[in-house]
Amino acid sequence: MNLSFRNRIGLYYMAATAIIMAVAFLTVYFVVRGVVYQNLDRDLSYEAKKHTREIKVIGDSIKIKNKREWEEREHREVQVNPVFIQFWDKNGVFMDKSPNLKENHLKLNANSNYNGHYNGHLNQRPIRQVQLPIEDKGKLKGFIVAAMSLEASQMVLYNLRNILLIVYLLLLASLYFISKFIAGRSIIPVKNVIQTTNRITRNSLNERVELPQNKDEMFDLTSSINDLLNRIENALERERQFTSDASHELRTPLATLKGTLEVLVRKPRERSEYEEKIKLCLTEINRITSIIEQLLLLARLDTGSKSAEKPLIPLTSIIEEILFRHNNVATEKKLTIKIKNDIGDKVLIPQYFGNLILENIIENALKYAKDETTIHIALTKSESKVICKIRDEGIGIKEGDLHRLFNNFFRSDPLQHKDVTGNGLGLSIAKKAADAINTKISVESEFGKGTIFTVEF
């Protein structure tokens, strides 16, 4: 059925309660029915046993001893619920009966010879019967059948059944409206969530869903939605900031290219001037190419590109390859590389992501290190993790800039070291690569003395 959430809650609540009520009412009915029949059967058994003492057995015949007294007692007493008695021999032949039966007879039940209670009819009226054996000197002589009217008991049970049925239907009808009301109250927080989220657009992401007072499942749902909105808002803010920064970074080399080319076309120049300006343009083109490649790499890391999946290789091999590629920088600045290896060559890491992380960190250490200083690389183990520490004796980073170090296009004090090339994307790439393989990067620095990067694989 195409029911609303509110109606489904109400229906489920009503159905569950209806089943519980039905079980409870049926239990009450059958308990009362059992008690009524138990009391009736107890009285019948008592009367049957009592009257077995008022008979005499002659041969195979069974007779009532004082039948005249029995008749007089019945005439003297007003019996609200009279007991009917009838005797049969062991072959099912009628022997005698109580005077109140008159021309009527009780039926012998061949399937209930010993202490059996069963329902029957007397003069088209319901009765309850019990059948007990009569024995003399250990031999079966016949049976006594005692009966009592079942009309009053059945009327009580009939009225009880009708009352329970009517009450059940009334409660069910009341429950329908109550469950709808309760369901409506229960989904008020859901309505608030719907109304608030419908109001939220790209330009109003700062709005949040009001938290319910009770810390229940709805509170958790609302908190999760607010957290999701926070993440979306932060992601869009990062996207806007990234677009702005990328535009700014690309605008500078493009402006340089445009200005240089405009100068060249104003008048004829010497060959050497053309060559100088063309080399400057090529440098700026290379810079733009580098920025675009790094932006594409960041985009792939953001989308979790599967193309980045590579085999595992030893951590030491990655470090050696990176140092080999940047050997000219170390030679030019007369840097000393000291490696402390406490893990051997058996520790394997993902080649692609590991290379992205360590390439950018080691390259920064080489670029920002002071001439004729030492780069320290230490590989150690701590419990189940492998720790790689890279320490340089360079210009360091200001304490206030440490928390922004992994932001896109951020460079600490770029005007103080104009000779160091870069666009502030390297550490952003390293951080995203680390997140992709659940690796942690931390940084410590003392301005003017050096920086320590710690990578936990």
Side-chain angles (χ1 to χ4, degrees):
M1 292 185 295
N2 250 340
L3 296 176
S4 65
F5 182 58
R6 171 189 175 183
N7 289 333
R8 284 204 306 274
I9 292 177
L11 179 63
Y12 297 153
Y13 177 78
M14 186 179 73
T17 311
I19 292 172
I20 293 172
M21 286 196 312
V23 171
F25 282 14
L26 286 173
T27 302
V28 169
Y29 176 78
F30 283 108
V31 166
V32 172
R33 183 177 182 275
V35 170
V36 168
Y37 275 96
Q38 184 180 12
N39 291 334
L40 196 60
D41 291 345
R42 184 179 63 245
D43 292 344
L44 272 175
S45 297
Y46 170 77
E47 292 292 338
K49 290 177 182 178
K50 183 181 74 172
H51 285 91
T52 54
R53 296 191 293 269
E54 298 179 358
I55 61 173
K56 55 184 177 180
V57 179
I58 303 172
D60 291 332
S61 298
I62 301 173
K63 298 292 183 182
I64 300 174
K65 290 181 180 178
N66 302 307
K67 195 170 183 180
R68 189 177 296 278
E69 292 181 8
W70 199 343
E71 290 177 354
E72 291 176 358
R73 186 169 65 244
E74 288 182 356
H75 285 297
R76 289 195 311 268
E77 298 174 356
V78 178
Q79 295 181 326
V80 178
N81 196 12
V83 179
F84 304 99
I85 304 295
Q86 187 162 328
F87 300 96
W88 306 80
D89 69 6
K90 62 181 180 180
N91 297 316
V93 178
F94 168 73
M95 291 283 103
D96 208 346
K97 63 180 179 179
S98 59
N100 58 2
L101 275 173
K102 299 179 181 178
E103 70 278 3
N104 299 308
H105 289 276
L106 299 176
K107 291 184 179 180
L108 183 69
N109 188 354
N111 298 322
S112 181
N113 293 338
Y114 301 97
N115 297 320
H117 294 86
Y118 52 94
N119 293 338
H121 286 83
L122 181 65
N123 200 20
Q124 298 183 346
R125 291 186 176 184
I127 56 173
R128 182 72 171 171
Q129 297 180 214
V130 64
Q131 185 169 303
L132 299 178
I134 299 174
E135 295 181 348
D136 184 37
K137 297 178 182 180
K139 293 183 178 180
L140 179 65
K141 295 296 182 179
F143 301 96
I144 179 173
V145 177
M148 296 179 70
S149 174
L150 196 58
E151 284 184 314
S153 299
Q154 285 188 340
M155 183 59 68
V156 169
L157 294 176
Y158 177 77
N159 291 335
L160 176 63
R161 184 193 66 186
N162 290 343
I163 290 171
L164 290 177
L165 184 59
I166 293 170
V167 171
Y168 179 75
L169 294 176
L170 290 175
L171 287 177
L172 206 58
S174 303
L175 186 63
Y176 171 74
F177 296 102
I178 294 172
S179 61
K180 282 193 67 174
F181 174 76
I182 293 175
R185 297 287 299 175
S186 300
I187 65 171
I188 287 177
V190 178
K191 290 182 177 179
N192 292 337
V193 170
I194 295 171
Q195 291 171 358
T196 305
T197 51
N198 285 339
R199 290 196 305 267
I200 294 174
T201 63
R202 185 184 181 93
N203 298 322
S204 61
L205 274 174
N206 59 333
E207 189 171 353
R208 295 293 178 267
V209 183
E210 184 180 354
L211 292 173
Q213 293 181 350
N214 298 324
K215 292 189 175 182
D216 51 13
E217 290 81 358
M218 287 306 305
F219 183 91
D220 295 336
L221 173 63
T222 307
S223 298
S224 299
I225 291 174
N226 285 338
D227 291 341
L228 175 61
L229 290 173
N230 286 334
R231 292 195 295 272
I232 293 173
E233 184 180 15
N234 292 335
L236 289 176
E237 182 60 34
R238 287 196 302 270
E239 178 191 335
R240 284 193 288 264
Q241 186 64 42
F242 180 80
T243 304
S244 174
D245 292 341
S247 301
H248 174 74
E249 290 294 325
L250 290 171
R251 189 182 298 118
T252 301
L254 287 173
T256 303
L257 273 173
K258 182 181 179 182
T260 302
L261 293 174
E262 285 176 347
V263 169
L264 283 177
V265 298
R266 283 178 185 173
K267 62 178 182 179
R269 298 178 184 275
E270 297 292 331
R271 178 184 176 86
S272 59
E273 286 186 83
Y274 281 115
E275 289 178 353
E276 180 186 351
K277 296 302 181 183
I278 290 172
K279 286 179 181 179
L280 178 60
C281 289
L282 289 173
T283 301
E284 293 304 320
I285 290 173
N286 289 336
R287 182 180 171 189
I288 293 173
T289 302
S290 175
I291 293 173
I292 292 174
E293 287 177 350
Q294 288 183 313
L295 291 175
L296 290 174
L297 178 57
L298 280 171
R300 285 200 299 272
L301 290 173
D302 279 335
T303 56
S305 175
K306 297 298 181 183
S307 63
E309 294 180 357
K310 298 291 181 182
L312 301 176
I313 67 170
L315 173 58
T316 53
S317 298
I318 291 180
I319 294 174
E320 288 171 2
E321 290 175 6
I322 294 170
L323 292 174
F324 179 77
R325 287 197 297 270
H326 296 281
N327 183 56
N328 58 335
V329 178
T331 303
E332 183 181 339
K333 299 179 72 172
K334 298 180 182 180
L335 299 175
T336 302
I337 310 295
K338 288 188 177 180
I339 300 177
K340 179 187 176 184
N341 183 3
D342 293 338
I343 63 171
D345 297 330
K346 295 183 179 181
V347 175
L348 304 178
I349 63 171
Q351 181 180 9
Y352 180 80
F353 292 109
N355 187 70
L356 286 177
I357 297 167
L358 296 174
E359 169 80 23
N360 286 289
I361 293 176
I362 293 175
E363 183 182 11
N364 276 359
L366 294 170
K367 285 195 301 185
Y368 290 102
K370 296 175 183 177
D371 292 350
E372 299 181 6
T373 57
T374 303
I375 303 293
H376 301 269
I377 300 176
L379 303 175
T380 58
K381 269 192 175 181
S382 175
E383 297 178 353
S384 61
K385 294 186 176 294
V386 175
I387 311 297
C388 177
K389 283 183 180 277
I390 301 165
R391 179 167 66 89
D392 64 66
E393 298 170 1
I395 60 177
I397 305 167
K398 291 181 179 179
E399 185 177 352
D401 290 340
L402 288 175
H403 70 284
R404 302 168 57 196
L405 205 57
F406 297 102
N407 293 349
N408 297 330
F409 298 107
F410 176 76
R411 298 184 71 194
S412 180
D413 272 343
L415 298 178
Q416 299 298 322
H417 39 81
K418 294 181 180 179
D419 56 317
V420 180
T421 60
N423 50 36
L425 289 174
L427 289 180
S428 298
I429 293 172
K431 182 67 170 64
K432 289 187 182 296
D435 291 341
I437 57 173
N438 297 320
T439 295
K440 180 182 176 183
I441 301 178
S442 57
V443 59
E444 305 169 49
S445 185
E446 187 174 351
F447 188 65
K449 292 189 177 181
T451 304
I452 302 173
F453 277 88
T454 303
V455 184
E456 297 181 17
F457 289 100

